[in-house]
């Protein structure tokens, strides 16, 4: 099968950044379309985390369904009014055939997402299901339970592909994904240590494209682009180091990240956290599904939709702030996002207790005006700088 992402080769760094930004904002997802035109099969999965290694081992292209900047006119009739935008625009992409797939998987991360599988299933002929990640990951049986869920997912994928997905194939995919996550961690190390070398919107785009291109191509791309970023000679500016918290599901527009970047360096964040949820390499020997399940339980990050007593979210955010040497936190959430808005309260109390400055805001993926937010943020930064 021909590669779907080669336009970056031979281009200068700024041209590559522009290409990635354009791909992230392109609601037609040309790389996915190119994959399908060559006979490739696609598995769409909704936010936050999905074990892409299993689909990859079956020869599928895992596609991260996380909305887009589309109006959502077709999807409006399928939902109530008071829902987050990403639920509606994700369905809109499928209803208008901007994305086509062989199966759709969602997760019970909130009331809206829990019902998304059924709504999706009533409108499309392919299988739509819920992957039930453990609600109590602290149970001694959580790894066994999750391994069984992954086995169920594997069987469904085998029915679609018409071939067995072997343990060896999944272990090989784990190797590919370990490399991918390693490269993402390297990018975040650059963001932390030398944030002036890569703008927030460009760093985000480099992560986001991993949601719709084959991982082998992504790894080749990142191995080429990271040395180019490090080789730049860009002067450090006098900007505040901040953590951006609240991008675990619906994603903010690139323009919003650009506005933040005018006065701040985003040195860490939870943007597209599902693609880099596993924090360490997954073992490449033994029972592949068990390895993936244990990695999710024991070696993962945090989000407002996973309830783990070993990972108190306020403490995890505090650790993120300390590790990145951030001077302040932007605590945001998507409009109508109950999990995100709920965590804002807990985060605010913790930051108050720790005397860490924070800026509270909200966003929507279709947001187009940022002047008011920009002025508020600049005022916030100036007050801290000149206090």
């Amino acid at each position: 099968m021909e590669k779907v992402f080669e336009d970056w080769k031979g281009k200068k760094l700024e041209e590559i950044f522009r290409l990635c930004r354009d791909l992230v904002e392109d609601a037609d997802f040309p790389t996915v379309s190119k994959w399908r035109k060559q006979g490739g099969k696609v598995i769409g999965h909704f936010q936050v985390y999905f074990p892409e290694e299993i689909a990859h081992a079956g020869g599928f292209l895992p596609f991260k369904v996380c909305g887009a900047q589309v109006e959502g006119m077709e999807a409006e009739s399928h939902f109530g009014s008071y829902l987050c935008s990403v639920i509606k625009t994700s369905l809109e992409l499928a209803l208008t055939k901007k994305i086509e797939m062989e199966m759709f998987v969602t997760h019970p991360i909130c009331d809206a997402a829990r019902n998304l599988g059924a709504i999706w299933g009533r409108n499309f002929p392919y299988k739509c299901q819920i992957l039930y990640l453990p609600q109590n990951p602290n149970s001694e049986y959580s790894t066994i339970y999750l391994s069984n869920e992954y086995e169920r997912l594997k069987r469904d994928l085998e029915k679609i592909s018409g071939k067995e997905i072997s343990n060896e194939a999944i272990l090989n995919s784990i190797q590919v994904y370990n490399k991918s996550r390693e490269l993402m961690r390297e990018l975040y190390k650059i963001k932390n240590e030398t944030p002036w070398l890569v703008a927030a919107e460009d760093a985000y785009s480099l992560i986001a494209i991993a949601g719709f291109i084959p991982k082998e191509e992504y790894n080749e791309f990142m191995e080429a682009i990271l040395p180019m970023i490090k080789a730049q000679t860009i002067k450090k500016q006098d900007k505040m180091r901040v953590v951006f918290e609240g991008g675990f599901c619906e994603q903010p527009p690139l323009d919003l990240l650009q506005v933040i970047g005018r006065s701040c360096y985003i040195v860490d964040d939870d943007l597209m956290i599902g693609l880099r949820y596993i924090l360490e390499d997954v073992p490449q020997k033994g029972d592949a599904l068990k390895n993936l399940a244990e990695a999710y339980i024991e070696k993962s990050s945090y989000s407002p939709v996973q309830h783990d007593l070993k990972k108190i979210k306020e403490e995890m955010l505090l650790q993120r702030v300390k590790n990145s040497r951030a001077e302040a936190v932007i605590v945001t959430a998507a409009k109508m996002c109950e999990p995100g808005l709920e965590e804002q309260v807990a985060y605010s109390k913790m930051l108050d207790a720790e005397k860490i400055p924070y800026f509270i805001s909200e966003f929507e993926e279709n947001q187009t005006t940022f002047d008011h937010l920009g002025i508020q943020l600049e005022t916030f930064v100036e007050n801290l700088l000149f206090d």
Side-chain angles (χ1 to χ4, degrees), residues 188-195 241-243 266-269 279 301-302 314-329 356:
Y188 268 74
K189 185 178 180 181
I190 295 173
K191 278 169 58 90
N192 186 358
E193 296 179 355
T194 53
R241 297 173 61 92
V242 301
V243 164
I266 299 179
V267 292
D268 203 355
D269 56 63
L279 299 175
S301 184
Y302 69 100
E314 300 94 307
E315 295 177 5
M316 297 290 281
L317 173 57
L318 179 59
Q319 196 62 45
R320 174 173 280 167
V321 173
K322 290 181 177 179
N323 289 345
S324 61
R325 293 172 287 113
E327 301 166 86
V329 182
I356 298 173

Side-chain angles (χ1 to χ4, degrees), residues 28 38 100 160 185 199 202 239 244 319:
D28 290 320
Q38 298 181 74
E100 296 183 90
I160 295 170
R185 290 194 295 269
D202 293 326
K239 295 182 180 180
F244 182 98
Q319 196 62 45

Side-chain angles (χ1 to χ4, degrees), residues 288-305:
L289 296 183
K290 183 181 178 182
N291 293 347
L292 287 170
E294 287 180 342
Y296 176 80
I297 301 294
E298 304 293 345
K299 302 176 181 179
S300 60
S301 184
Y302 69 100
S303 83
V305 296

Side-chain angles (χ1 to χ4, degrees), residues 82-86 109-110 246 248-250 304-305 332-344 362-363:
Y82 300 103
L83 290 176
C84 59
S85 176
V86 67
I109 59 173
C110 65
F248 63 94
C249 184
E250 184 171 326
V305 296
T332 187
K335 291 182 178 179
M336 306 294 178
C337 175
E338 290 187 14
L341 292 168
E342 196 171 85
E343 288 303 326
Q344 279 190 338
E362 65 178 7
F363 66 87

Side-chain angles (χ1 to χ4, degrees), residues 192-221:
N192 186 358
E193 296 179 355
T194 53
W196 51 89
L197 292 182
V198 57
E201 65 273 18
D202 293 326
Y204 170 81
S205 298
L206 293 178
I207 297 293
I209 61 170
F212 48 78
I213 64 175
K215 277 297 182 293
E216 291 85 352
E217 294 188 43
Y218 180 74
N219 291 352
E220 178 190 6
F221 168 71

Side-chain angles (χ1 to χ4, degrees), residues 8-215:
W8 60 273
K9 293 181 177 179
K11 287 184 167 58
K12 295 180 180 179
L13 187 58
E14 185 49 49
E15 293 175 316
I16 294 173
F17 284 152
R18 189 180 306 113
L19 171 65
C20 292
R21 292 195 300 266
D22 289 345
L23 279 175
V24 168
E25 293 185 317
D26 191 341
D28 290 320
F29 298 98
T31 57
V32 181
S33 298
K34 190 173 181 180
W35 174 271
R36 284 186 60 83
K37 285 177 182 177
Q38 298 181 74
K41 291 180 169 60
V42 175
I43 298 301
H45 59 92
F46 192 66
Q47 297 277 43
V48 172
Y49 172 75
F50 177 79
E52 288 193 353
E53 290 91 335
I54 304 172
H56 178 272
F60 296 90
L61 173 64
F63 170 63
K64 194 162 189 61
V65 180
C66 53
Q69 290 184 310
V70 293
E71 291 199 17
M73 299 298 290
E74 292 288 332
E76 281 289 345
S77 60
H78 299 270
F79 297 105
S81 300
Y82 300 103
L83 290 176
C84 59
S85 176
V86 67
I87 291 286
K88 299 176 183 178
T89 59
S90 293
L91 181 63
E92 179 77 12
L93 292 173
L95 289 172
T96 56
K97 298 189 181 300
K98 289 182 178 294
I99 55 171
E100 296 183 90
M101 60 191 73
E102 276 62 48
M103 184 167 81
F104 174 70
V105 182
T106 187
H107 313 279
I109 59 173
C110 65
D111 288 340
R114 182 181 295 111
N115 292 298
L116 188 57
I119 294 172
W120 207 289
R122 287 199 296 266
N123 289 277
F124 302 101
Y126 49 80
K127 188 175 182 66
C128 305
Q129 65 160 273
I130 297 176
L131 179 65
Y132 291 94
L133 300 173
Q135 290 298 303
N136 180 15
N138 304 125
S139 166
E140 61 180 307
Y141 301 106
S142 60
T143 299
I144 298 173
Y145 163 80
L146 187 54
S147 297
N148 290 335
E149 271 293 279
Y150 287 173
E151 177 64 36
R152 178 177 67 83
L153 172 66
K154 181 173 79 74
R155 290 196 300 269
D156 286 339
L157 293 171
E158 289 172 334
K159 289 178 183 177
I160 295 170
S161 67
K163 62 180 181 180
E164 179 188 0
I165 301 175
S166 68
N167 186 70
E168 182 181 0
I170 301 175
L171 289 174
N172 289 336
S173 293
I174 286 173
Q175 182 179 12
V176 173
Y177 275 75
N178 279 345
K179 183 62 178 180
S180 178
R181 287 185 286 262
E182 177 190 327
L183 292 166
M184 291 181 182
R185 290 194 295 269
E186 189 175 343
L187 174 61
Y188 268 74
K189 185 178 180 181
I190 295 173
K191 278 169 58 90
N192 186 358
E193 296 179 355
T194 53
W196 51 89
L197 292 182
V198 57
E201 65 273 18
D202 293 326
Y204 170 81
S205 298
L206 293 178
I207 297 293
I209 61 170
F212 48 78
I213 64 175
K215 277 297 182 293

